[in-house]
Amino acid sequence: MTPIASPWIWRSSLLAAAIAGLVFGGASAWWLTGREAVIGGRIEVGGWATSTRIGATAADPWTRAVIARVGLMALNRDEAVYYFRDTDGDGRPLDERCTYRLSGVDLPARWWSVTLYAEDEFLARNDDDAHSLQGSALIAGAEIEGRVWRANVGPEREGDEPWLSTRAAGRFKLTLRLYHPAVSLREDPAALPAPTIERLGCHGAGSV
Amino acid sequence: MKRHGPWLLLVFALSFALGHVACAWWIPRHIMGTTLSAMARGGERLNTFNAGRRVTPDSRRVVRPSPDLAYSACVYDLSDAPLHVRVPPWRHYWSVSLYAANSDNYATRNDRTDAAGTEFLLVGQDDPAPAVSMPVMRSPSATGVILIRRLMPDAAEWSALAPLREEDRCESWRG
C-alpha cells in the first residue's frame, strides 16, 4: 500500500485540494474584478470605455463586482452614461507629472462633466479645487467656430484655460458623466463624439 | 499516487470554480454592506436622509464621487415597516435613485418624471402594499439605499440647498 492510499492521508489530500481550490478561486475573482476590462458589454470609443450593463439589474456577477469596486452606486444608462479612460491618445498611461490638452465638442446629454480621479479611485489629495469640469462651463468658453472646447490637464494651471489638476493623482483616470443622454447615445454608446487627450509634455517622467 | 491524482485535480477544479463564483457574488454585497453600515453609522441613522457634505479629496466612503453633485442618502431596512419617501424639486437636475443590497440600481425618479418633486411608498418585494394614494415601489431586497443627487453648477448654490434638504423625508410608514 502506498502512503497516499492511507485513508487519513487520502482524506487530508482531498481536504487540502478543496481548500486550495477555494482560496485560489476566490483570489482569482478578486484579481479579475479589479480590472475594468472584465466589465460585460464593454464598448470602446476613441480611447474611452463604457458598458451597457453599468447599474443594470441584468448585470452579470463579474460586472456587478467590478462596478462595486470602481463605481459603486452608478446609475443605469436610462439616467446616465459613464465613460472611463486611463491612457492618453497614444495609449500611454495618464501620469500626474505630464501636461495634456483635453478637447472636444458639446456632448449629447442634458448635462455632462469630466472628472479626474487618482489611482485610488478618489479625488486626488490636493487643494487646487480643480477636480472636475462641467460641460456648460466648457461650452461657454468654447471657440465660436466649430464649438470646440479645450481644457488643460496637468500639475499647474496655465493661463485662463479650464484646468483639471493632476497634483498627487499618480497614474490618474478620467470619468465622463452624461446625465439624461440623448436617445441616440443611450441606444448606441459608441456614437459618442469622444473628447481627445493629447500629451504635451512631462516633468521628470523620463520622456516628453 | 497516479490513481488518486485525477481525483485531487477534480476536487481542486470544482473548489476553484466554487470559490471564484462565490467570491464574485460576495464582493458587491460585501462592499454595499460595509458602505451602507458606515453611511447609517452602524444603524443609528437608518430610515432617514443623511445630507452629505460637499465632495472633497477627503470624501472616501464611496469611490469616484462627483464634486458637481450634492448627495443625500437614506439607508433603509424594510423589515418592520414600509418606507415613506418625499423629496422636493431642485432648480437644477436632481434624481432619487434606489439601490438594492447587491448594488443594482433598480429604480430612479427625477425632475423629468416628477417635476413637482417625488413622493412614494417603498415596500419589500413580497410584502403587502398598504392602500395609499401615492405610487408604491418595490425593493428587491429588505435593505438598500436611496440616493439623492442634486446638480451644483457652482459652490454658491450650497447656501440655497440647505433649507431644501430640511424638507427631504425618508421615514417608516405607520399608516
Side-chain angles (χ1 to χ4, degrees):
Chain A
M1 184 179 273
T2 59
I4 195 74
S6 152
W8 184 85
I9 294 178
W10 173 231
R11 280 197 294 270
S12 301
S13 300
L14 279 177
L15 185 64
I19 291 172
L22 287 172
V23 169
F24 281 102
S28 72
W30 184 256
W31 174 80
L32 197 67
T33 56
R35 306 165 67 86
E36 289 177 30
V38 174
I39 294 175
R42 185 180 165 93
I43 294 163
E44 291 200 28
V45 49
W48 298 86
T50 187
S51 166
T52 54
R53 298 185 196 165
I54 293 174
T57 50
D60 59 81
W62 292 272
T63 296
R64 195 176 277 130
V66 176
I67 296 302
R69 292 179 64 179
V70 304
L72 188 67
M73 295 186 216
L75 291 159
N76 68 47
R77 67 186 171 135
D78 286 340
E79 190 71 15
V81 181
Y82 305 88
Y83 294 84
F84 316 101
R85 77 178 302 153
D86 56 9
T87 57
D88 64 19
D90 293 320
R92 293 170 294 204
L94 297 171
D95 189 319
E96 70 164 275
R97 297 167 295 184
C98 301
T99 301
Y100 303 88
R101 166 65 53 79
L102 182 66
S103 60
V105 296
D106 196 8
L107 301 178
R110 183 170 163 203
W111 78 269
W112 56 272
S113 66
V114 55
T115 309
L116 187 150
Y117 294 102
E119 271 182 86
D120 63 3
E121 313 292 351
F122 294 101
L123 297 181
R125 286 196 182 274
N126 64 54
D127 55 5
D128 294 327
D129 198 18
H131 305 286
S132 187
L133 293 168
Q134 294 189 24
S136 52
L138 288 169
I139 290 301
E143 293 172 3
I144 298 299
E145 191 176 345
R147 303 299 293 168
V148 175
W149 56 263
R150 293 189 178 84
N152 165 251
V153 182
E156 290 172 17
R157 182 186 290 277
E158 292 182 5
D160 294 334
E161 208 167 61
W163 176 47
L164 287 174
S165 173
T166 64
R167 284 202 306 130
R171 288 199 165 186
F172 63 91
K173 301 148 188 198
L174 297 175
T175 294
L176 263 181
R177 287 180 169 84
L178 287 81
Y179 279 74
H180 290 175
V183 174
S184 56
L185 191 66
R186 218 166 53 209
E187 291 176 352
D188 179 17
L192 177 80
T196 59
I197 181 160
E198 173 193 4
R199 190 159 101 174
L200 302 178
C202 296
H203 300 285
S207 63
V208 174
Chain B
M1 184 67 185
K2 277 183 185 171
R3 206 156 45 91
H4 297 95
W7 288 105
L8 291 175
L9 202 59
L10 180 66
V11 168
F12 178 82
L14 290 174
S15 304
F16 184 95
L18 180 66
H20 182 93
V21 172
C23 189
W25 180 90
W26 170 81
I27 287 169
R29 288 161 178 82
H30 172 69
I31 293 175
M32 270 301 265
T34 52
T35 303
L36 299 195
S37 177
M39 280 178 163
R41 292 177 208 160
E44 285 177 30
R45 302 281 293 163
L46 208 58
N47 296 345
T48 185
F49 272 118
N50 297 294
R53 293 180 186 164
R54 193 176 170 203
V55 171
T56 71
D58 292 328
S59 306
R60 307 241 140 201
R61 194 165 281 163
V62 178
V63 292
R64 295 191 188 181
S66 171
D68 304 310
L69 297 168
Y71 296 96
S72 294
C74 171
V75 179
Y76 65 79
D77 184 344
L78 303 172
S79 303
D80 292 334
L83 201 67
H84 176 219
V85 178
R86 193 173 68 224
V87 177
W90 172 235
R91 58 192 177 209
H92 306 289
Y93 165 86
W94 61 268
S95 63
V96 177
S97 307
L98 289 74
Y99 296 86
N102 69 349
S103 79
D104 282 354
N105 171 208
Y106 64 89
T108 299
R109 310 301 301 174
N110 57 48
D111 53 351
R112 284 186 171 169
T113 59
D114 303 297
T118 193
E119 182 172 18
F120 57 87
L121 197 69
L122 186 65
V123 300
Q125 191 68 49
D126 302 317
D127 295 339
V132 290
S133 57
M134 68 188 99
V136 175
M137 303 180 79
R138 292 197 174 271
S139 170
S141 53
T143 59
V145 63
I146 299 168
L147 195 61
I148 304 176
R149 289 174 167 88
R150 292 182 173 107
L151 175 62
M152 308 302 288
D154 56 64
E157 296 277 357
W158 281 86
S159 57
L161 182 63
L164 189 82
R165 283 174 146 182
E166 296 288 323
E167 298 176 38
D168 294 338
R169 288 287 174 275
C170 181
E171 54 205 2
S172 292
W173 175 260
R174 301 295 175 193

